[in-house]
Amino acid sequence: MIDKLEFFIALAREEHFGRAAEVCGVTQPTLSAGIKQLEGQLGVMLVLRGSRFQGLTPEGKQVLVWARRIVGDTRTMREEMRAARHGLSGRIRIAAIPTALAMLPRLTTPFREKHPGVTFSVLSRTSIEVLSLLGNFDIDAGITYLDNEPLGRVTSVPLYNERYQLITAMGNPYSDRDKVTWAELSSLPLCLLTPDMQNRRIIDQHLAEAGVQVRPTLESNSMIVLFSHIRTGKWSSIMPLNLAETFGFSEPIRAIPIVEPDASHTVGLVAAPREPHTPLVSALLDEAMALADDFHARR
């Protein structure tokens, strides 16, 4: 039954029989047969079939909620038994918004010092993708904004407040200032994250509140691309203070606080809202709380 439920979850996520079979490591006929057997056991049709996958039936959508819960509980049980025998081990899968990636070593490094049998897989994703991956059990935890767009039902640990600065080279407009307003940024050649990133939507929101609209001269979903363009001295950007501090901008690059308003948004760790959590996720939540205390002590 667990294997069949995992087949069904994979099909709902991939929306394609061939891709779902590949993800599960079985042949397509094996996956299709498993889902038909599941339908027979439950006495309802789960999948709308034609020449290709056409979606889930209303009953299938109900079963998907239960399938995720049952498979999640099974994984938790297996991890608890493994931890009881061998101590904490395994792989933690984390997806983080791009502006939080530079902070992650402050979470993963002390965690692994305490639990050397644990390895990590870290992905850079949009905030919407973080929540989708979490809901589909494709990651164990995410790092995202907690107070700007709806999160749904999650367990969360606030880590730090993200504040914004103008990052620009000496000699550019405002580079000699101690602070700059959001309204003044409209005249600069800016390179920003793409609109699918929540950081960009936050920036656009504060610019709109200041009565200006910015058309960036370069957009990217990679912070490395933005950094490399800033270093040419011909581009400026708007970045969180903690990110600028992590990369250690120095002369001839300046980080200038943006005011009117002095905006901030909370970034934190999110996990699926289940009790009990797997031993790995429970330990990660504990480490996140310790990191949050450290951030607050440094303020």
Side-chain angles (χ1 to χ4, degrees), residues 88-92 111-112 115-120 280:
L88 208 58
S89 63
R91 178 178 294 273
I92 296 181
F111 185 94
R112 195 166 187 280
H115 309 290
V118 174
T119 60
F120 294 89
L280 284 174

Side-chain angles (χ1 to χ4, degrees), residues 257-280:
I258 305 174
V259 296
E260 297 181 22
D262 180 11
S264 69
H265 293 273
T266 304
V267 174
L269 181 81
V270 293
R274 59 183 313 106
E275 289 293 342
H277 290 290
T278 67
L280 284 174

Side-chain angles (χ1 to χ4, degrees), residues 93-139:
R93 303 160 300 167
I94 301 173
I97 54 175
T99 57
L101 289 171
M103 177 280 303
L104 263 177
R106 295 185 60 178
L107 179 67
T108 55
T109 302
F111 185 94
R112 195 166 187 280
E113 287 174 352
K114 296 172 186 173
H115 309 290
V118 174
T119 60
F120 294 89
S121 173
V122 177
L123 305 172
S124 176
R125 293 291 185 267
T126 69
S127 56
I128 292 173
E129 289 170 337
V130 168
L131 295 178
S132 176
L133 291 168
L134 196 63
N136 288 329
F137 296 101
D138 290 326
I139 57 173

Side-chain angles (χ1 to χ4, degrees), residues 147-205:
D147 63 352
N148 186 58
E149 295 179 355
L151 290 174
R153 291 184 63 247
V154 296
T155 298
S156 63
V157 178
L159 292 174
Y160 61 90
N161 287 328
E162 188 178 84
R163 297 182 181 277
Y164 306 97
Q165 302 216 346
L166 169 66
I167 310 299
T168 192
M170 290 296 294
N172 284 342
Y174 311 127
S175 63
D176 59 344
R177 299 268 291 273
D178 292 327
K179 58 186 177 181
V180 63
T181 68
W182 287 94
E184 290 173 319
L185 301 178
S186 62
S187 62
L188 298 177
L190 293 174
C191 53
L192 300 174
L193 287 171
T194 48
D196 60 325
M197 298 291 179
Q198 192 171 167
N199 171 266
R200 172 63 184 282
R201 296 195 291 276
I202 287 172
I203 288 171
D204 286 347
Q205 170 191 328

Side-chain angles (χ1 to χ4, degrees), residues 32-51:
S32 296
I35 290 176
K36 285 182 179 178
Q37 290 168 10
L38 181 62
E39 290 176 323
Q41 287 176 295
L42 297 175
V44 294
M45 293 292 293
L46 303 176
V47 180
L48 298 171
R49 292 178 177 84
S51 58

